[in-house]
Amino acid sequence: MSLLPSWPEPIVRVQTLSKSGIRKIPRRFVKPPSDRPCNIMDITTTSINIPLIDLENLNSPNDSVRQETIDHISHVCREWGFFQVANHGISHELMEKTRAVWHEFFQLPLEEKQKFANLPMTYEGYGSRIGVEVGAKLDWCDYFFLHYLPQVLKNENKWPCLPVSCRKVISEYGEELVTLSRRLIKILSIGLGLNEDYVHKSFGGDGESSACLRVNFYPKCPQPDLTLGLSPHSDPGGITILLPDTNISGLQIRRGNNWFTVNPIPNAFIVNIGDQIQVLSNAIYKSVEHRVIASSNKERLSLAFFYNPGGRALIKPADELVTKDCPALYSPMTFNEYRSFMRTKGPSGKSQIESHKSPR
């Protein structure tokens, strides 16, 4: 994990840049030609409907319906790494309230948000960059990062205090997302032919598993063809549950050599597999490279909830999934060691998980 006590360069708040009326983005946000989105108009029309799972089917009294749903989730984890879930048990009212308090937070005066400015030691709070390399190209995004689990890391005093309902809403949302996450990782375990609590125990169980939230705010950008809201990466943790902005699409997933814009379904969550699940499953389930494009027309807000192993959890391929014909693809590594790569380098495609492969 990064040990730098402060950022190596002055922090630039992207929202402030956007509101200043600039017509050209600063050079530190301009991506190399090979990393830029191609033609923005082409990209926004190249959209894709990722698989939709109705979680209510898991409550069916019909055994075959429940099994078909488990099999469907297992299939999309192998073939897609991304899917949407409906009838997930979280009220639409809570989803909207949570979006609303974060919209209000990002519209507060800068000096109010600066009270929660983050540092690279933990990333907790109000931030505008990931990675600590000097001269790195930056993404067109501000964010707020906070911890839910383990309890020893949860500190509501580091959460926004405005709007006044913010902390209460954030806490309720986190409790609901932890419940949903644990339900999903149980299904992932079963789909791999493992005990239903295998992933949960591997992550450290109730006392050690970690959960955190990153709220992404993407201001309007005068030159969206030159930059990205978030650079290509696979998520380093366990699973991600995303509450997307349904007013404007921006999330893209990579399939083969092409990028596709995901069409979010109202009141559904987008779920994706992280690198730790790819490791535990010995690459049966796949994490998928994704990115976010910028927009010149509208600002966007999305909430990424990460359910991860505890920092000290040693993650390796499950013994039951390692055979003579399918040897272990990855060396054991603690989650703290693994995620230090992104916290140092920033988003870097799938290079981290690829570099983690065991030597043959």
Side-chain angles (χ1 to χ4, degrees):
M1 199 175 298
S2 171
L3 297 178
L4 285 182
S6 61
W7 298 106
E9 299 165 308
I11 292 295
V12 178
R13 300 303 182 191
V14 178
Q15 188 176 12
T16 301
L17 284 175
S18 177
K19 287 185 173 182
S20 71
I22 59 171
R23 296 186 178 182
K24 292 185 177 182
I25 61 175
R27 291 186 63 182
R28 62 193 305 191
F29 292 93
V30 177
K31 305 291 184 181
S34 60
D35 295 340
R36 297 173 191 171
C38 301
N39 182 297
I40 289 291
M41 291 302 294
D42 290 342
I43 284 175
T44 53
T45 56
T46 308
S47 59
I48 195 169
N49 294 316
I50 61 176
L52 175 65
I53 309 290
D54 185 349
L55 292 185
E56 182 59 34
N57 289 334
L58 293 172
N59 300 322
S60 172
N62 189 318
D63 290 346
S64 63
V65 171
R66 294 198 304 272
Q67 189 59 52
E68 285 174 9
T69 305
I70 292 171
D71 292 343
H72 190 193
I73 294 173
S74 181
H75 172 76
V76 299
C77 289
R78 296 164 194 255
E79 300 299 324
W80 285 81
F82 265 83
F83 55 97
Q84 300 194 66
V85 293
N87 295 319
H88 37 66
I90 298 173
S91 77
H92 300 164
E93 180 185 7
L94 178 59
M95 295 164 73
E96 287 306 313
K97 282 198 302 185
T98 307
R99 277 198 189 101
V101 295
W102 283 111
H103 269 294
E104 287 188 55
F105 171 79
F106 280 103
Q107 298 308 323
L108 291 172
L110 179 61
E111 57 268 24
E112 192 64 42
K113 291 178 288 193
Q114 282 292 112
K115 294 177 182 178
F116 300 93
N118 72 351
L119 294 170
M121 285 286 289
T122 66
Y123 277 85
E124 285 179 278
Y126 175 53
S128 298
R129 68 177 290 169
I130 304 175
V132 293
E133 292 197 330
V134 175
K137 294 297 184 181
L138 303 179
D139 290 333
W140 195 260
C141 177
D142 295 327
Y143 65 85
F144 199 102
F145 180 83
L146 59 87
H147 290 291
Y148 285 114
L149 294 175
Q151 287 293 329
V152 69
L153 293 182
K154 182 180 179 181
N155 185 352
E156 294 191 12
N157 291 325
K158 295 182 178 180
W159 300 2
C161 53
L162 292 176
V164 292
S165 62
C166 196
R167 289 179 180 174
K168 180 180 178 182
V169 172
I170 294 170
S171 182
E172 183 181 354
Y173 183 79
E175 290 173 6
E176 294 289 337
L177 267 290
V178 167
T179 298
L180 176 58
S181 298
R182 289 177 174 171
R183 187 181 182 196
L184 288 171
I185 63 171
K186 181 182 294 186
I187 300 304
L188 298 188
S189 296
I190 295 170
L192 290 167
L194 303 169
N195 291 331
E196 66 176 29
D197 61 353
Y198 183 89
V199 173
H200 181 61
K201 286 184 175 179
S202 296
F203 278 16
D206 290 345
E208 296 293 332
S209 296
S210 61
C212 50
L213 179 71
R214 178 181 146 124
V215 184
N216 302 300
F217 184 79
Y218 303 101
K220 290 188 285 187
C221 178
Q223 294 178 296
D225 55 321
L226 298 183
T227 191
L228 288 165
L230 189 56
S231 294
H233 66 287
S234 58
D235 291 340
I239 61 170
T240 303
I241 302 178
L242 181 77
L243 180 59
D245 192 322
T246 54
N247 293 318
I248 177 171
S249 299
L251 172 66
Q252 295 188 323
I253 62 172
R254 186 170 190 160
R255 286 182 67 78
N257 294 321
N258 299 312
W259 290 97
F260 296 90
T261 303
V262 174
N263 294 320
I265 296 173
N267 301 319
F269 286 104
I270 297 173
V271 180
N272 66 276
I273 298 299
D275 291 347
Q276 302 306 298
I277 294 292
Q278 179 167 326
V279 171
L280 278 175
S281 71
N282 208 27
I284 294 173
Y285 292 164
K286 307 288 196 306
S287 64
V288 172
E289 196 173 354
H290 51 286
R291 68 183 187 182
V292 176
I293 56 174
S295 170
S296 59
N297 300 318
K298 292 183 179 180
E299 60 189 28
R300 293 179 64 252
L301 181 123
S302 66
L303 287 74
F305 180 91
F306 305 103
Y307 193 80
N308 299 328
R312 296 177 297 179
L314 190 67
I315 304 299
K316 64 182 183 66
D319 292 341
E320 296 88 334
L321 304 177
V322 175
T323 66
K324 182 178 179 180
D325 294 330
C326 298
L329 296 177
Y330 307 100
S331 303
M333 183 179 289
T334 68
F335 183 52
N336 272 343
E337 292 174 308
Y338 190 89
R339 66 179 166 186
S340 66
F341 181 96
M342 179 174 279
R343 291 189 171 191
T344 302
K345 301 285 187 181
S348 304
K350 290 265 300 183
S351 61
Q352 182 179 5
I353 188 69
E354 292 301 318
S355 66
H356 185 39
K357 286 184 176 178
S358 299
R360 292 294 183 92

